[in-house]
Coordinates of all heavy atoms in Angstrom, one line a residue:
G176 N 39.5 -20.8 106.4 CA 40.3 -21.6 105.3 C 41.7 -21.8 105.6 O 42.3 -22.5 104.8
L177 N 42.3 -21.1 106.6 CA 43.6 -21.3 106.9 C 43.8 -22.1 108.2 O 43.1 -21.9 109.2 CB 44.4 -20.0 107.1 CG 44.4 -19.1 105.9 CD1 45.1 -17.7 106.2 CD2 45.2 -19.8 104.6
Q178 N 44.8 -23.0 108.2 CA 44.9 -23.9 109.4 C 46.4 -24.0 109.8 O 47.2 -24.2 109.0 CB 44.4 -25.3 109.0 CG 42.9 -25.5 108.8 CD 42.4 -26.9 108.5 OE1 43.3 -27.7 108.4 NE2 41.2 -27.1 108.6
E185 N 56.3 -35.2 105.0 CA 55.6 -35.1 103.7 C 55.5 -33.6 103.2 O 55.4 -33.4 102.0 CB 54.2 -35.6 103.7 CG 54.2 -37.1 104.0 CD 54.3 -37.5 105.5 OE1 54.4 -36.6 106.4 OE2 54.6 -38.7 105.8
L186 N 55.7 -32.6 104.1 CA 55.6 -31.2 103.7 C 56.9 -30.6 103.5 O 57.1 -29.4 103.1 CB 54.9 -30.4 104.7 CG 53.5 -30.7 105.0 CD1 52.9 -30.0 106.2 CD2 52.6 -30.2 103.8
A189 N 57.4 -29.0 100.0 CA 56.5 -27.9 99.7 C 56.9 -26.7 100.6 O 56.9 -25.6 100.1 CB 55.1 -28.3 100.1
V190 N 57.4 -27.0 101.8 CA 57.9 -25.8 102.6 C 59.1 -25.2 102.0 O 59.3 -24.0 102.0 CB 58.1 -26.3 104.0 CG1 58.7 -25.1 104.8 CG2 56.8 -26.8 104.7
V229 N 53.4 -25.1 110.3 CA 53.0 -24.5 109.0 C 51.6 -24.0 109.0 O 50.8 -24.5 109.8 CB 53.0 -25.6 107.8 CG1 54.6 -26.2 107.6 CG2 52.2 -26.8 108.1
V230 N 51.3 -23.2 108.1 CA 49.9 -22.7 107.9 C 49.6 -23.2 106.5 O 50.1 -22.9 105.5 CB 49.8 -21.1 107.9 CG1 48.3 -20.7 107.6 CG2 50.2 -20.6 109.3
L231 N 48.5 -23.9 106.4 CA 47.9 -24.5 105.1 C 46.6 -23.8 104.8 O 45.8 -23.5 105.7 CB 47.6 -26.0 105.3 CG 48.9 -26.9 105.8 CD1 48.4 -28.3 106.0 CD2 50.0 -26.8 104.8
D232 N 46.5 -23.6 103.5 CA 45.3 -23.0 103.0 C 44.5 -24.2 102.3 O 44.8 -24.8 101.4 CB 45.7 -22.0 101.8 CG 44.5 -21.2 101.4 OD1 43.3 -21.7 101.5 OD2 44.7 -20.1 100.9
T233 N 43.4 -24.4 103.0 CA 42.5 -25.6 102.6 C 41.7 -25.2 101.4 O 41.0 -26.2 100.8 CB 41.6 -25.9 103.7 OG1 40.7 -24.8 104.1 CG2 42.4 -26.4 105.0
T234 N 41.7 -23.9 100.9 CA 41.0 -23.7 99.7 C 41.8 -23.7 98.4 O 41.2 -23.5 97.4 CB 40.4 -22.1 99.8 OG1 41.5 -21.3 99.8 CG2 39.7 -22.0 101.2
E235 N 43.2 -24.0 98.6 CA 44.0 -24.1 97.4 C 44.8 -25.4 97.6 O 45.2 -25.8 98.7 CB 45.0 -22.9 97.3 CG 44.2 -21.6 97.0 CD 45.1 -20.5 96.6 OE1 46.2 -20.8 96.0 OE2 44.8 -19.3 96.5
T236 N 45.3 -26.0 96.5 CA 46.1 -27.0 96.5 C 47.3 -26.8 95.7 O 47.4 -26.0 94.8 CB 45.4 -28.3 95.8 OG1 45.0 -28.0 94.4 CG2 44.2 -28.7 96.7
D237 N 48.4 -27.6 96.1 CA 49.7 -27.4 95.3 C 49.8 -28.5 94.2 O 48.8 -29.2 94.0 CB 50.9 -27.6 96.3 CG 51.0 -28.8 97.1 OD1 50.4 -29.9 96.6 OD2 51.6 -28.9 98.2
A238 N 51.0 -28.6 93.6 CA 51.1 -29.6 92.6 C 50.8 -31.1 93.0 O 50.6 -31.9 92.2 CB 52.6 -29.4 92.0
T239 N 51.0 -31.4 94.2 CA 50.8 -32.7 94.8 C 49.3 -33.0 95.1 O 48.9 -34.2 95.5 CB 51.6 -33.0 96.0 OG1 51.2 -32.3 97.1 CG2 53.1 -32.8 95.7
G240 N 48.6 -32.0 95.1 CA 47.1 -32.2 95.5 C 46.8 -31.9 96.9 O 45.6 -32.0 97.4
R241 N 47.9 -31.5 97.8 CA 47.6 -31.2 99.1 C 47.3 -29.8 99.3 O 47.6 -29.0 98.4 CB 49.0 -31.5 100.0 CG 49.4 -33.0 99.9 CD 50.6 -33.1 100.9 NE 51.1 -34.5 100.9 CZ 52.2 -34.9 100.2 NH1 52.9 -34.0 99.4 NH2 52.5 -36.1 100.2
P242 N 46.8 -29.3 100.4 CA 46.6 -28.0 100.8 C 47.9 -27.2 100.6 O 48.9 -27.6 101.0 CB 46.0 -27.9 102.1 CG 45.4 -29.2 102.3 CD 46.2 -30.3 101.6
A243 N 47.8 -26.0 100.0 CA 49.0 -25.1 99.8 C 49.7 -24.7 101.0 O 48.9 -24.3 102.0 CB 48.6 -24.0 98.8
V244 N 51.0 -24.6 101.2 CA 51.6 -24.1 102.3 C 51.7 -22.6 102.1 O 52.2 -22.0 101.1 CB 53.1 -24.6 102.4 CG1 53.9 -23.9 103.4 CG2 53.1 -26.1 102.6
A245 N 51.0 -21.9 103.0 CA 51.0 -20.4 103.0 C 52.0 -19.8 103.8 O 52.5 -18.7 103.4 CB 49.6 -19.9 103.4
A246 N 52.5 -20.4 104.9 CA 53.5 -19.9 105.7 C 54.1 -21.0 106.6 O 53.5 -22.1 106.6 CB 52.9 -18.7 106.6
R273 N 54.2 -16.5 102.3 CA 54.3 -16.3 100.8 C 53.5 -15.0 100.5 O 52.6 -14.7 101.2 CB 53.7 -17.5 100.1 CG 54.4 -18.8 100.3 CD 53.7 -20.0 99.8 NE 53.5 -19.9 98.3 CZ 52.8 -20.8 97.7 NH1 52.1 -21.7 98.3 NH2 52.6 -20.7 96.4
W276 N 49.7 -14.5 100.8 CA 48.9 -14.6 102.0 C 49.4 -13.6 103.1 O 49.2 -13.7 104.3 CB 49.2 -16.0 102.5 CG 48.5 -17.1 101.8 CD1 47.3 -17.6 102.2 CD2 48.9 -17.8 100.6 NE1 46.9 -18.5 101.3 CE2 47.8 -18.7 100.3 CE3 49.9 -17.8 99.8 CZ2 47.8 -19.6 99.2 CZ3 50.0 -18.7 98.8 CH2 48.9 -19.5 98.5

Side-chain angles (χ1 to χ4, degrees):
L177 298 176
Q178 293 181 350
E185 292 76 15
L186 292 171
V190 178
V229 295
V230 174
L231 301 176
D232 189 335
T233 60
T234 68
E235 293 196 23
T236 57
D237 60 19
T239 67
R241 298 190 183 97
V244 173
R273 294 171 65 189
W276 284 270

